[in-house]
Amino acid sequence: MKKITLLMMSLIMALTVKAQEDVTSLLTNPDFENGTIGWTIVGGGSTMATAAYYEYSGTSFIESWVAATNTLTDRSWSQTIEVPNGVYAIKSMAHAILQSDGSVIPEGVSIYANGDKVAVTTTHTNPPKEYTVITQVTDGTLTVGFNITDCNVNWAAWDYVRVVQYNGMTKEETQVANMKEEMHLLVASVDKLSKIQTSLAEDLNASIAAIDMVKTLSEAQNLWDRLNDLIEEAQASANAYATFKAKIDLAYEWLEKGYSAGYDDFNNAITTAEHYYNEAILNVTETQTATAELYNAIFCYFNHNADGSVGFPMEDTYITNHSVRSNNLGWAFQPEGHSSTVDFNIAEFFNTDYNMSQTIEGLPNGKYKVSVTGFYRATSNYSNTGFNAYEDGSEVITAELYANEVSTPLQSLYKHNIEDINAANPTDITISGYNNFANSMATITLPTAWLRLPSASTRVSMPIMKWKLL
């Protein structure tokens, strides 16, 4: 595959950006470090001082939040300043999400400057991003703001507001210049993709080279759409080839075991897979098919030589939505009508009886090991009852992980002490008397909070499930 080479940013900046001046100092409290001073708040909104979820300037941002079963009512945050007439860009970081469903595309949330606006479209599965609004000031007045009207999200946040004045440029020239900058930032991540389809890389390189040839806003928008499509394809291709490479590596691990039955056929399958991988001629669907064929070859080689002494890792794809990244897709719940609360790619049940399960058919007969990451907490973290019961051995774990008729209790929350968790926001954990035990779904996902679990299939909190045939 030809390596994707990005153009020099210094040349890009010289061609696309004329004289510009940062005039953010004209705003009062642009990064919300002093609460909402200087801003007009209509309908509600407050600042949050934490670095845990959202930080781009200092430690504060402005937000509105309600429980994920609801959506925000209409509101706005704005500030009006006096500026010389001319063209201005308002740049800021924002997100708007529905925490109960990470796939929802936000609607009804925007950042505006005078009569111009841009929609906030960051989903729950993506981090907050920078948005830019270009406007023309003709009366010496600039109003910048964040607006929520008839929205479908429960949490919106805004931070790091900046104002840039463009001298000697029309509004369209400024919009084109900014889109060129954004396109080069957009493609910067592509150079990190280690392997994608060769023809796709060639198309992407040609589109990258075309960025500096753009003259009009319509040309810039068309190229922006083309680049987004190509980058989405490139990322999918890179993921497919990475999975393919992992299966090739796994195949060699099994080949090195030296089992005699089916050795030649298995070796030929690996050689064919390596050819396709090295030439990078397959599209995503073809790469996935080649990966599946190689996996089947590994499994056949295992079955030809299995004696029960070694396990075989099964594909996660046998389980629909095994990491609950797609909310509750693929899972059945009892009592009927119940479901888990999903946030931070974790499924949670609170103060209720439940059974979360999935039936998998078409598996080879054999002995299976199934594991899941999870925990159980018997009482509130805000009393000593649960921790003391764990300490004296009287704690009763009523949640279990099961596979067919075999089951095992989940581990206790109090089995793992969590240290050094987010000192800037101690409300996320219970500290006094409880040795820093996790008290939120967000906290449990932090790097120092990884939980380990005994093995067997699920009735509880599960960010990830793994299994293998023994």
Side-chain angles (χ1 to χ4, degrees):
M1 188 200 79
K2 296 179 180 178
K3 181 176 176 60
I4 300 170
T5 303
L6 301 182
L7 304 179
M8 295 298 293
M9 291 299 292
S10 58
L11 177 59
I12 295 161
M13 303 304 286
L15 290 172
T16 61
V17 180
K18 298 180 182 179
Q20 56 180 274
E21 179 183 1
D22 190 318
V23 293
T24 304
S25 60
L26 296 175
L27 284 175
T28 299
N29 188 27
D31 52 8
F32 305 101
E33 291 301 292
N34 295 311
T36 58
I37 291 175
W39 295 92
T40 299
I41 309 299
V42 178
S46 59
T47 54
M48 175 68 73
T50 177
Y53 305 113
Y54 195 90
E55 177 193 5
Y56 291 94
S57 175
T59 58
S60 292
F61 60 90
I62 189 169
E63 67 162 5
S64 280
W65 179 91
V66 293
T69 52
N70 303 303
T71 55
L72 294 169
T73 56
D74 294 356
R75 62 200 62 209
S76 67
W77 315 317
S78 65
Q79 185 172 154
T80 300
I81 57 177
E82 294 182 359
V83 297
N85 290 341
V87 179
Y88 292 83
I90 288 74
K91 299 175 181 288
S92 57
M93 304 300 298
H95 73 196
I97 60 178
L98 182 64
Q99 290 175 291
S100 61
D101 187 351
S103 65
V104 168
I105 303 298
E107 296 178 359
V109 182
S110 62
I111 301 166
Y112 64 91
N114 288 354
D116 297 289
K117 66 179 181 179
V118 62
V120 177
T121 57
T122 306
T123 65
H124 191 7
T125 55
N126 295 315
K129 62 179 262 187
E130 181 179 81
Y131 293 88
T132 300
V133 187
I134 308 293
T135 195
Q136 177 90 42
V137 174
T138 58
D139 62 357
T141 302
L142 174 62
T143 299
V144 301
F146 190 93
N147 185 72
I148 299 172
T149 302
D150 295 329
C151 77
N152 61 348
V153 303
N154 74 294
W155 183 23
W158 195 33
D159 196 14
Y160 196 32
V161 184
R162 289 148 292 148
V163 181
V164 179
Q165 180 183 13
Y166 287 82
N167 301 308
M169 297 177 68
T170 66
K171 182 178 178 181
E172 180 168 344
E173 287 174 338
T174 305
Q175 290 171 319
V176 171
N178 273 272
M179 286 198 71
K180 287 182 178 181
E181 291 180 31
E182 291 178 3
M183 282 189 278
H184 280 292
L185 291 173
L186 179 69
V187 302
S189 62
V190 176
D191 204 33
K192 300 176 183 178
L193 301 179
S194 58
K195 172 79 74 172
I196 66 173
Q197 185 183 5
T198 301
S199 59
L200 178 58
E202 292 170 349
D203 290 345
L204 189 53
N205 269 322
S207 294
I208 292 172
I211 294 175
D212 293 324
M213 306 302 292
V214 168
K215 301 297 182 184
T216 68
L217 187 58
S218 60
E219 289 176 354
Q221 187 60 60
N222 289 337
L223 184 56
W224 172 267
D225 293 340
R226 174 63 174 158
L227 281 170
N228 272 282
D229 290 342
L230 286 172
I231 289 173
E232 183 177 351
E233 292 179 38
Q235 290 171 336
S237 180
N239 291 337
Y241 272 98
T243 302
F244 194 19
K245 181 62 165 61
K247 288 297 179 289
I248 292 172
D249 292 342
L250 178 63
Y252 272 116
E253 290 179 16
W254 281 93
L255 188 68
E256 289 173 1
K257 297 180 185 297
Y259 299 140
S260 58
Y263 182 93
D264 289 340
D265 288 341
F266 187 38
N267 189 40
N268 289 337
I270 297 174
T271 300
T272 299
E274 274 203 309
H275 166 75
Y276 285 130
Y277 178 82
N278 292 332
E279 294 298 318
I281 57 177
L282 305 180
N283 62 29
V284 171
T285 301
E286 292 167 341
T287 306
Q288 292 170 337
T289 299
T291 302
E293 290 174 351
L294 181 59
Y295 177 78
N296 288 334
I298 301 171
F299 190 63
C300 288
Y301 188 58
F302 165 80
N303 270 340
H304 281 317
N305 297 280
D307 59 6
S309 63
V310 69
F312 183 81
M314 301 297 292
E315 288 281 70
D316 291 334
T317 52
Y318 277 98
I319 305 173
T320 301
N321 188 26
H322 77 284
S323 60
V324 296
R325 291 182 180 275
S326 299
N327 207 16
N328 289 309
L329 178 69
W331 294 97
F333 298 89
Q334 294 292 333
E336 188 174 351
H338 278 49
S339 64
S340 65
T341 298
V342 178
D343 202 3
F344 298 95
N345 297 323
I346 299 173
E348 177 187 70
F349 292 89
F350 184 75
N351 281 353
T352 184
D353 293 336
Y354 64 89
N355 180 15
M356 179 179 179
S357 65
Q358 188 169 146
T359 300
I360 305 164
E361 299 179 342
L363 296 176
N365 291 333
K367 183 178 180 181
Y368 289 83
K369 174 184 177 181
V370 184
S371 61
V372 68
T373 303
F375 69 87
Y376 178 81
R377 187 185 73 189
T379 63
S380 170
N381 245 8
Y382 295 103
S383 71
N384 282 318
T385 306
F387 178 67
N388 289 343
Y390 172 76
E391 287 283 275
D392 65 23
S394 63
E395 181 184 39
V396 178
I397 304 291
T398 61
E400 64 181 6
L401 179 68
Y402 69 90
N404 288 349
E405 286 73 39
V406 180
S407 64
T408 185
L410 292 184
Q411 65 182 346
S412 169
L413 170 71
Y414 302 108
K415 183 177 180 180
H416 297 283
N417 177 277
I418 299 175
E419 299 177 350
D420 302 322
I421 295 287
N422 193 13
N425 189 29
T427 58
D428 261 3
I429 55 174
T430 302
I431 296 178
S432 178
Y434 311 116
N435 299 317
N436 297 349
F437 293 108
N439 198 45
S440 74
M441 297 168 80
T443 304
I444 213 66
T445 62
L446 294 175
T448 50
W450 286 110
L451 298 176
R452 297 173 178 80
L453 180 72
S455 297
S457 179
T458 210
R459 262 188 195 168
V460 79
S461 184
M462 39 173 281
I464 239 172
M465 176 179 281
K466 300 287 185 184
W467 62 326
K468 63 181 180 180
L469 175 63
L470 300 176

